[in-house]
Amino acid sequence: MVIRFHIPGGEMVIKAAPFFREARMRQIRRMLKMYRESGSGGEYKELVRWLGETAAGVQDELRALQEEYDAALRRVSEKSGLKEARRELSRLNTVAREIKREMEIRGKLLVRYGKILKDVERILGEG
């Protein structure tokens, strides 16, 4: 999604996905206030819908990773007693750690999108 609005020096064009993923909350709030002040409220509902869909997508990814992590842990516990499976056990442990790391990243993204959604509704819903 591309967000466009007028600022005193011209027009601001922001690609929503990378901006909301990488910007600090202070920058996001400042952008939302400039967006509100520009009178570009027509996209407000679309922005809320897009953020909701993005958060839902992240939540689905997190759920899939959780299932994959649980399956990897089951495979680790099944293989742990076998000497010939030590190499496989090491690989599965590595996979489980990587999945857990991805789950943590997706969890943080989910919290981030929740905060952004609250700020959008608070800042843009006032007008």
Side-chain angles (χ1 to χ4, degrees):
M1 175 180 181
V2 176
I3 302 170
R4 297 175 186 270
F5 57 95
H6 297 286
I7 58 173
E11 184 178 65
M12 179 75 76
V13 178
I14 297 173
K15 291 182 181 179
F19 178 75
F20 286 126
R21 188 174 50 248
E22 297 169 8
R24 292 192 171 118
M25 293 305 289
R26 175 181 258 171
Q27 293 170 317
I28 293 170
R29 288 183 186 114
R30 184 179 329 143
M31 184 280 296
L32 291 171
K33 288 177 184 174
M34 287 190 303
Y35 177 80
R36 179 188 62 201
E37 291 168 1
S38 74
S40 303
E43 294 180 22
Y44 164 67
K45 290 182 181 175
E46 185 175 330
L47 178 61
V48 170
R49 183 187 55 77
W50 180 84
L51 282 168
E53 289 173 358
T54 303
V58 169
Q59 194 168 21
D60 290 342
E61 290 173 7
L62 182 60
R63 196 174 301 118
L65 284 169
Q66 179 69 48
E67 290 171 6
E68 192 175 340
Y69 177 70
D70 292 342
L73 286 181
R74 279 193 300 278
R75 288 192 308 258
V76 166
S77 65
E78 291 169 0
K79 303 272 184 183
S80 62
L82 307 173
K83 286 184 180 181
E84 65 272 1
R86 287 191 191 275
R87 202 172 292 145
E88 179 70 6
L89 178 63
S90 175
R91 187 187 70 75
L92 291 173
N93 277 322
T94 301
V95 167
R97 281 193 302 274
E98 290 172 356
I99 292 170
K100 189 164 185 168
R101 202 172 312 127
E102 280 297 315
M103 286 170 47
E104 290 171 357
I105 291 169
R106 295 296 189 272
K108 288 178 183 177
L109 262 179
L110 189 59
V111 169
R112 179 178 183 80
Y113 282 121
K115 288 179 181 178
I116 293 170
L117 194 55
K118 284 180 185 176
D119 283 342
V120 166
E121 290 175 355
R122 182 180 55 83
I123 293 171
L124 298 179
E126 293 174 355

